[in-house]
Amino acid sequence: MKKRNVYVWGMRILMWLAASITAALTLFLLSYVLVKGLPNITWELLSTKPSYLRGTVGILPDILNTLYIILTTLLFVLPLGVGAAIYLTEYATNKRLVGMIEYAAETLSGIPSIIYGLFGSLFFCQFMDLDKSLLAGALTLVIMNLPTIMRTTQAACKQSAYDPLHYGVLSSDASSLYHS
């Protein structure tokens, strides 16, 4: 029994050592980037576009394009993912089909993002002829985020299925309010 305790304590020490080294390296890199980078962030950098003719450097178009692609992605993925998850959890009767869709979503969530990017480039940009556009990038991100949205919503629906309020709403025929 004593040999096992020594092994357990040795593993704990190694685990704490590895965690401490990782945390120290992370803090070092973060502080290095902040110390070297913060003095160079100016309002001009954030509010102008880059121009070789005027000699200015700016990231405003990059910030705006990031916001545009996030909003476009959310516009597609939230109704699609939440709607699919609610349908699969609450209304679908074919359990085999539900299992196949859940398996496909789990499989999609394990694919590396570089593969999604390559697929989006081939399918949306070339096959669908969207070129390199905001819509092509947003649709690629929709496919990438759809399994996460579906799983999260399904978990919330399954958790709320045990809530007495859920049964109260279903028994009161609250859905008839939308049909009047």
Side-chain angles (χ1 to χ4, degrees):
M1 193 68 174
K2 186 171 174 106
K3 198 179 218 184
R4 175 136 175 97
N5 284 340
V6 171
Y7 175 76
V8 168
W9 278 104
M11 288 295 120
R12 282 187 184 166
I13 290 170
L14 285 175
M15 181 191 65
W16 280 104
L17 182 66
S20 300
I21 290 172
T22 304
L25 284 173
T26 303
L27 287 174
F28 169 73
L29 288 173
L30 186 63
S31 63
Y32 181 80
V33 168
L34 289 176
V35 166
K36 296 288 186 178
L38 279 180
N40 297 316
I41 295 179
T42 62
W43 181 249
E44 181 185 358
L45 175 71
L46 296 175
S47 63
T48 60
K49 62 181 183 177
S51 172
Y52 289 112
L53 298 176
R54 291 183 295 166
T56 60
V57 177
I59 59 171
L60 181 64
D62 300 326
I63 293 171
L64 292 177
N65 285 331
T66 301
L67 290 175
Y68 296 152
I69 200 165
I70 288 172
L71 291 175
T72 308
T73 301
L74 289 175
L75 185 70
F76 286 109
V77 79
L78 284 179
L80 188 63
V82 171
I86 290 174
Y87 175 77
L88 291 174
T89 305
E90 300 290 334
Y91 301 110
T93 56
N94 188 349
K95 298 299 179 190
R96 186 173 181 206
L97 180 64
V98 170
M100 288 173 46
I101 292 172
E102 288 176 349
Y103 180 74
E106 289 294 325
T107 303
L108 281 175
S109 66
I111 296 175
S113 59
I114 186 71
I115 303 299
Y116 281 110
L118 290 171
F119 173 78
S121 175
L122 288 174
F123 185 74
F124 295 120
C125 295
Q126 293 180 1
F127 182 72
M128 298 292 289
D129 202 27
L130 292 175
D131 296 325
K132 292 180 182 174
S133 63
L134 179 92
L135 185 60
L139 291 174
T140 303
L141 286 174
V142 166
I143 294 172
M144 193 166 107
N145 290 313
L146 190 62
T148 304
I149 300 292
M150 282 179 57
R151 276 191 320 209
T152 305
T153 306
Q154 277 185 313
C157 286
K158 288 176 182 176
Q159 181 69 27
S160 70
Y162 300 110
D163 186 15
L165 184 61
H166 179 79
Y167 292 117
V169 169
L170 290 178
S171 66
S172 70
D173 196 23
S175 62
S176 65
L177 296 175
Y178 297 108
H179 300 295
S180 56

